[in-house]
Amino acid sequence: MKNISSVLATLLLLSAVSHQVLAKSSVWKVSKGDDYIYLAGTVHILPPSEFPLPLEFDKAYKDADEIVLEVKLPADDDTTFQTKMMQALTYAGDTKISDFTSAQTYAQLESYATSIGADMLMFEKFKPGLLLTMFTMMEAQRAGISGEGVDAYFNKRALQDGKMLNHLETMDFQINMLANMGKGYEDSFLKQNMEEFKAFKTLLLQLIAAWRIGDLEALNKLALEPMKKDPQSMKAILLDRNHNWIPLIEAMFTDENKELVMVGAAHLVGQEGVISLLEKKGYTITQLSAK
């Protein structure tokens, strides 16, 4: 994951499109005989101006008995989670991020921290995954496009409505994944990602635009193709997880509930994306469109 598009896709085209494409959404109906579930792509950073969401999200949510997210989202006051996360994502003892970077790369990190009104000393104990996550959040705020993601929105809504909530992964799994981002090649990992921050706002807006209309081709180009430069991270952060989720999704067809499964939009695209993997299993996939 040597590219900020993949960071946005782990932590989601401005060009002209046809009216047919504009009518589509990032919500799919996955069917097996008369049984079905919904599968929706999400964006983890979504500015308030993008609400309300496309109507297809609301339709699937209302029809679903159970909402299934990637992971249980911790409460803001969950100090146990916060402590566990910081222990896993920061260096112990005297170790710091500069021990794994060249002087040039560290100077780039320092310069960027200064540009967003921070001191690199605040981040020197952060491992690459946490450092880039913090920079992404701060950059989104600086660009005026930060906001509650789709996952958080539906998590809150399901809790308010008393809908069942379930999850594909544990928080421990995701913390460990984040802790290992760039491990063993920290310098090149950070250097490439910092270069990509120069186009942060443009890229995020393109990702959001592609997500909003369910443009899988654009999402593939923007989120998936750049990740191929780092096969190790792509496998761990995207492909392995896609394959792990398939038996969990298939098991949803053995009960009476109607599930709405929501995962980051990058997980849906490509030959090893969730949509393609389910199609290979014989499921019928139908993209929901505005009527």
Side-chain angles (χ1 to χ4, degrees):
M1 194 173 66
K2 290 183 171 183
N3 182 295
I4 194 61
S5 61
S6 47
V7 172
L8 296 173
T10 356
L11 293 169
L12 294 208
L13 291 170
L14 297 178
S15 59
V17 292
S18 69
H19 292 294
Q20 181 180 4
V21 173
L22 282 171
K24 296 181 180 178
S25 71
S26 281
V27 184
W28 286 261
K29 189 175 184 179
V30 183
S31 305
K32 182 179 183 181
D34 294 331
D35 197 4
Y36 64 89
I37 67 168
Y38 293 103
L39 176 65
T42 67
V43 179
H44 302 310
I45 299 177
L46 196 64
S49 60
E50 290 295 325
F51 288 87
L53 300 176
L55 293 177
E56 291 77 14
F57 279 87
D58 191 59
K59 175 183 177 181
Y61 174 82
K62 289 179 177 177
D63 191 34
D65 306 302
E66 182 177 353
I67 310 302
V68 182
L69 304 177
E70 290 184 25
V71 67
K72 182 178 181 180
L73 302 181
D76 293 337
D77 59 355
D78 188 342
T79 56
T80 300
F81 161 75
Q82 293 169 7
T83 299
K84 179 184 291 188
M85 183 181 72
M86 293 305 294
Q87 287 176 341
L89 300 182
T90 57
Y91 295 113
D94 296 329
T95 305
K96 51 189 180 296
I97 191 66
S98 58
D99 296 332
F100 303 93
T101 65
S102 65
Q104 181 183 17
T105 300
Y106 189 77
Q108 189 178 8
L109 294 173
E110 284 187 306
S111 177
Y112 179 77
T114 299
S115 75
I116 56 176
D119 189 326
M120 190 57 201
L121 292 176
M122 297 169 54
F123 310 111
E124 65 176 1
K125 300 291 288 183
F126 288 10
K127 293 181 180 179
L130 180 58
L131 178 60
L132 289 177
T133 298
M134 292 300 297
F135 279 2
T136 298
M137 294 172 61
M138 296 175 77
E139 184 64 33
Q141 292 177 342
R142 182 169 75 158
I145 51 177
S146 63
E148 179 180 59
V150 178
D151 314 74
Y153 169 78
F154 279 105
N155 182 73
K156 184 186 300 181
R157 187 169 170 183
L159 290 172
Q160 292 173 341
D161 295 342
K163 288 212 179 211
M164 288 185 288
L165 271 169
N166 211 330
H167 311 92
L168 297 170
E169 297 171 341
T170 65
M171 183 56 73
D172 285 345
F173 174 89
Q174 289 212 347
I175 289 176
N176 184 64
M177 179 179 64
L178 194 60
N180 285 296
M181 282 174 58
K183 187 175 182 179
Y185 56 104
E186 289 86 352
D187 186 78
S188 60
F189 178 80
L190 288 168
K191 185 176 181 179
Q192 181 63 37
N193 273 284
M194 293 311 300
E195 286 296 320
E196 296 295 335
F197 267 108
K198 296 176 181 178
F200 177 89
K201 184 173 183 178
T202 298
L203 177 58
L204 180 57
L205 291 177
Q206 288 177 337
L207 284 167
I208 290 172
W211 157 80
R212 194 167 186 92
I213 60 175
D215 189 339
L216 292 181
E217 182 177 349
L219 287 169
N220 182 75
K221 178 181 178 181
L222 292 164
L224 192 63
E225 287 299 322
M227 294 182 72
K228 293 180 179 179
K229 298 176 183 179
D230 185 358
Q232 179 181 337
S233 289
M234 183 175 180
K235 183 177 184 297
I237 296 168
L238 201 67
L239 304 185
D240 285 351
R241 296 169 70 204
N242 292 349
H243 285 277
N244 290 342
W245 293 343
I246 296 303
L248 301 179
I249 293 173
E250 287 195 280
M252 297 174 192
F253 286 87
T254 64
D255 61 31
E256 296 181 356
N257 292 335
K258 287 289 182 291
E259 289 87 358
L260 166 56
V261 182
M262 313 190 80
V263 299
H267 288 283
L268 302 182
V269 300
Q271 292 301 307
E272 292 185 76
V274 174
I275 289 176
S276 180
L277 292 175
L278 288 171
E279 285 179 330
K280 291 173 184 176
K281 289 276 190 175
Y283 293 89
T284 300
I285 314 292
T286 306
Q287 188 172 21
L288 298 193
S289 303
K291 300 299 183 181

